Amino acid sequence: MEKTSTDAFPFTMNSSEKQETVCIFGTGDFGRSLALKMLQCGYSIVFGSRNPQKSSLLPNGAEVFSYSEAARKSDIIIIAVHREHYGFLTELTEVLKGKTLVDISNNLKINQYPESNAEYLAQLVPGAHVVKAFNTISAWALQSGALDANRQVFVCGNDSKAKQRVMDIVRTLGLTPLDQGSLMAAKEIENYPLQLFPMWKFPFYLSAFLCVFFFFYCVVRDVIYPYVNGGKDSTFRMAISIPNRVFPIAALTLLALVYLPGVIAAILQLYRGTKYRRFPDWLDHWMLCRKQLGLVALGFASLHVLYTLVIPIRYYVRWTMKNRTITQATAKREDPFSTSTAWLSDSYVALGILGFFLFVLLGITSLPSVSNTVNWREFRFVQSKLGYLTLILCTAHTMVYGGKRFLSPSSLIWYLPSAYVIALIIPCIVLVIKFVLVLPCIDRTLTRIRQGWERNAKPTLNGERYLKQSSVHLDSEL
C-alpha cells in the first residue's frame, strides 16, 4: 500500500484561521490516524500518554505530554484507549471537570457490558461532558480519505453544546455527523460496528436451506433412483445438471418470498380493519429483509444463466447428441417436426430471457446510487409493478418448462414429483392471493385502511363526509 501523503487530504478550513487545540489520550493506530487527519485540517494536537518519553511514530507537529499536562492544554479530549484502561481517569477528575470527553471505543462483542462504554466513562468522570463519536470510523478510513470509506459518524451525548462542538469537528474532517440523541443511544452505536451482515443472515440461512433441501431432493430422484432401479451411475449429474435445477428453484422461491410478506401484511390489515396495529416481529423483520432476499435471488438466477450457457459444451450433451444422430442415421429414420413442441421451447426461452432482464432491472434499481435518483412513485412502480411482472414471467417460464409433463404420473419417481413442481407452490400462492387483493371491491377497502380509515372507529360528521369524498376519489382513480 502506498504511503498517503498530506496532499491527499483536502483542507476544509482556511489554514490562516487559528484552530482550537484537541487533546488525544492514547497513541495507538486510531489515535495517530485521527491526529494526522486533524492536523491536516488545521487543528493543534497534543497527545496524553502514560510514557511520553517512549511515544514514537507520532505525526509531525503533534506534542506528547503526560495525561494531566495534556488535559490542561485543551477543553476537548478524545479518549482513544480501551475501556479496561479507563481507571487512570479517576485520578484526573478535577482536571477533566467541565471538559468534553469524546469516547471512541468499541467492544469485542455485542452487549459485552451492562452499560455502554460512554455511560461508564460518564460515571467515572461525573464532572465532564461525555460524547460518543468516531467509533464507526476505522484508522484505515481516516488514512485513505473519506471518499474511500463510510463518511457517516454517529454522535450522541447529554450536553448539547459539547455534542455540537464534536459535530463541528466531524464536519471539519470532511465527514458527516448523525445526531443520535442522548448518551442512552451509545450502546446501540457501540453495537453497530460489531454486527456482521445483520439483515443478510435470514436470507443466507434461508437460501442455504433451500439449496441443501432441493439438492438432496434432486439427488434422490436423478442419482439414487437410477442406481437402485437399474444400477446406472449418474453421479456426474451432481456437478452441473442438479445445480442448474437447484439455482432457478431457489431464485424463484426467494423472489416469491420477497412479495409474500406484503401480501400477508395486506391480509392482516383487512382482518384487523386498521393500519394502526403493529405487525408481528417476525413479519417486521421479514419485510426489512426483502431487498436482501431479492439480491440473493438475483444471484441464483445469474448462476442459472451461466450454467445454462455451458450446457452445449458438456461431454454428456455432446455424447448424447452424437449417439442419437448415429442411431437415427443407422436406422434411417428422423423425428418429425412438432410445431407445438417448437412453440413450447421458444416460449420457455423467451419467458426466461424477459424474466431475467426484469430481474436485473429490479436489482439495479435497488442500489442506493440508483434509488436515490428516482422519486417514491417511480421506485414503487419498479419494485412493485415490475416486480410482480417478473414473478409472473419467471413462474410462467417454469410452468412452460414442465409442459405436458407438469402433472403426468410418469414424472413421479418414488411418488416424488419433479422439483420444479414444488418450486411453483409459493409463487402460485402469492400470485393468486395478489390477484384477489387487487379486485376492486377488496382493493378499495385496503386503500382506505392504508389512508387511515378504521372499521370499528366512530367517525364524526366531518369524518363521514371526508370518507365519502375519499371513496368517490378512489372510485374515479380505479
Side-chain angles (χ1 to χ4, degrees):
M1 181 181 295
E2 296 181 1
K3 184 177 179 180
T4 306
S5 64
T6 305
D7 296 334
F9 299 94
F11 290 138
T12 58
M13 301 296 294
N14 191 333
S15 59
S16 63
E17 295 181 2
K18 182 176 179 59
Q19 294 297 315
E20 61 183 323
T21 300
V22 176
C23 173
I24 300 178
F25 281 1
T27 56
D29 291 339
F30 188 85
R32 295 196 305 269
S33 299
L34 184 59
L36 175 61
K37 183 70 173 177
M38 297 182 76
L39 283 168
Q40 293 168 345
C41 292
Y43 286 96
S44 298
I45 300 297
V46 293
F47 279 98
S49 175
R50 57 189 173 185
N51 296 311
Q53 295 79 14
K54 297 182 179 180
S55 299
S56 59
L57 302 176
L58 299 181
N60 294 330
E63 298 179 282
V64 58
F65 302 95
S66 65
Y67 288 128
S68 58
E69 290 179 297
R72 290 187 177 93
K73 295 181 178 294
S74 176
D75 290 332
I76 182 165
I77 302 170
I78 298 175
I79 311 298
V81 296
H82 293 288
R83 171 176 173 148
E84 53 266 27
H85 303 307
Y86 282 179
F88 75 94
L89 295 172
T90 57
E91 303 174 1
L92 306 174
T93 303
E94 291 300 322
V95 179
L96 299 178
K97 188 175 182 180
K99 297 182 182 292
T100 299
L101 303 185
V102 183
D103 178 64
I104 65 172
S105 63
N106 283 318
N107 295 317
L108 296 178
K109 59 183 180 180
I110 296 177
N111 298 326
Q112 184 173 353
Y113 301 101
E115 70 285 317
S116 67
N117 295 346
E119 291 172 310
Y120 175 68
L121 178 60
Q123 295 172 8
L124 288 178
V125 192
H129 307 302
V130 177
V131 177
K132 186 73 183 184
F134 292 112
N135 70 302
T136 57
I137 300 294
S138 66
W140 176 86
L142 291 171
Q143 295 172 3
S144 301
L147 296 179
D148 298 328
N150 188 0
R151 298 170 58 92
Q152 295 181 342
V153 176
F154 297 109
V155 182
C156 71
N158 294 332
D159 187 273
S160 58
K161 292 183 179 179
K163 185 166 57 175
Q164 187 59 49
R165 290 184 66 187
V166 175
M167 294 175 67
D168 290 340
I169 292 176
V170 172
R171 294 189 187 93
T172 304
L173 299 182
L175 304 173
T176 304
L178 296 179
D179 190 349
Q180 300 297 299
S182 69
L183 209 59
M184 294 178 61
K187 195 175 187 68
E188 182 179 354
I189 295 176
E190 291 173 4
N191 287 336
Y192 178 78
L194 301 176
Q195 296 175 352
L196 182 63
F197 303 115
M199 303 307 298
W200 289 89
K201 288 184 179 180
F202 174 67
F204 282 157
Y205 289 152
L206 180 59
S207 58
F209 170 78
L210 290 174
C211 288
V212 171
F213 172 78
F214 282 107
F215 182 83
F216 283 104
Y217 188 90
C218 292
V219 166
V220 171
R221 282 179 48 91
D222 300 337
V223 178
I224 297 179
Y225 175 80
Y227 181 79
V228 173
N229 207 40
K232 183 179 179 181
D233 184 9
S234 301
T235 53
F236 67 91
R237 293 183 179 274
M238 292 190 294
I240 292 182
S241 297
I242 292 180
N244 199 30
R245 294 183 184 180
V246 172
F247 292 150
I249 291 172
L252 180 59
T253 304
L254 291 173
L255 180 61
L257 292 175
V258 170
Y259 296 96
L260 182 57
V263 170
I264 296 175
I267 294 174
L268 281 176
Q269 289 178 334
L270 286 171
Y271 174 75
R272 296 170 173 175
T274 179
K275 71 171 185 177
Y276 297 109
R277 290 180 59 185
R278 286 185 58 86
F279 295 129
D281 292 338
W282 59 268
L283 183 57
D284 271 338
H285 184 70
W286 189 354
M287 296 182 74
L288 291 174
C289 294
R290 288 182 294 180
K291 174 181 176 179
Q292 289 76 10
L293 284 171
L295 291 176
V296 174
L298 176 59
F300 281 121
S302 301
L303 286 175
H304 172 52
V305 171
L306 294 176
Y307 271 67
T308 302
L309 292 176
V310 303
I311 287 179
I313 64 175
R314 293 177 59 203
Y315 168 76
Y316 172 74
V317 174
R318 291 186 285 110
W319 177 85
T320 301
M321 295 298 297
K322 181 172 62 175
N323 190 57
R324 181 180 300 174
T325 302
I326 295 174
T327 302
Q328 290 181 344
T330 304
K332 296 182 180 180
R333 65 178 179 85
E334 61 179 13
D335 294 331
F337 180 80
S338 174
T339 305
S340 60
T341 303
W343 263 107
L344 284 175
S345 176
D346 288 357
S347 300
Y348 158 72
V349 175
L351 289 170
I353 294 174
L354 293 175
F356 183 70
F357 169 76
L358 292 180
F359 219 143
V360 173
L361 183 62
L362 291 175
I364 293 175
T365 54
S366 68
L367 298 176
S369 58
V370 178
S371 60
N372 291 337
T373 62
V374 298
N375 59 40
W376 170 245
R377 187 174 184 181
E378 294 168 342
F379 182 79
R380 184 181 178 186
F381 171 79
V382 173
Q383 295 294 326
S384 180
K385 302 296 189 298
L386 293 186
Y388 273 105
L389 179 59
T390 304
L391 182 59
I392 292 173
L393 290 174
C394 293
T395 303
H397 170 69
T398 307
M399 286 183 170
V400 174
Y401 169 77
K404 299 177 182 179
R405 305 167 297 164
F406 185 61
L407 295 176
S408 174
S410 60
S411 63
L412 298 177
I413 295 179
W414 283 341
Y415 302 102
L416 298 176
S418 298
Y420 69 86
V421 175
I422 301 177
L424 287 170
I425 295 175
I426 297 180
C428 290
I429 291 175
V430 173
L431 292 176
V432 169
I433 298 177
K434 182 62 179 179
F435 175 77
V436 174
L437 291 175
V438 298
L439 294 176
C441 56
I442 297 179
D443 182 65
R444 187 182 300 114
T445 302
L446 184 59
T447 303
R448 292 175 63 190
I449 290 174
R450 289 175 175 174
Q451 290 180 340
W453 175 78
E454 295 183 88
R455 183 184 299 122
N456 298 325
K458 295 181 179 179
T460 61
L461 182 61
N462 291 334
E464 291 177 349
R465 185 180 298 113
Y466 170 77
L467 290 176
K468 187 178 296 183
Q469 293 173 351
S470 297
S471 60
V472 171
H473 177 67
L474 290 172
D475 288 339
S476 64
E477 284 187 345
L478 293 173

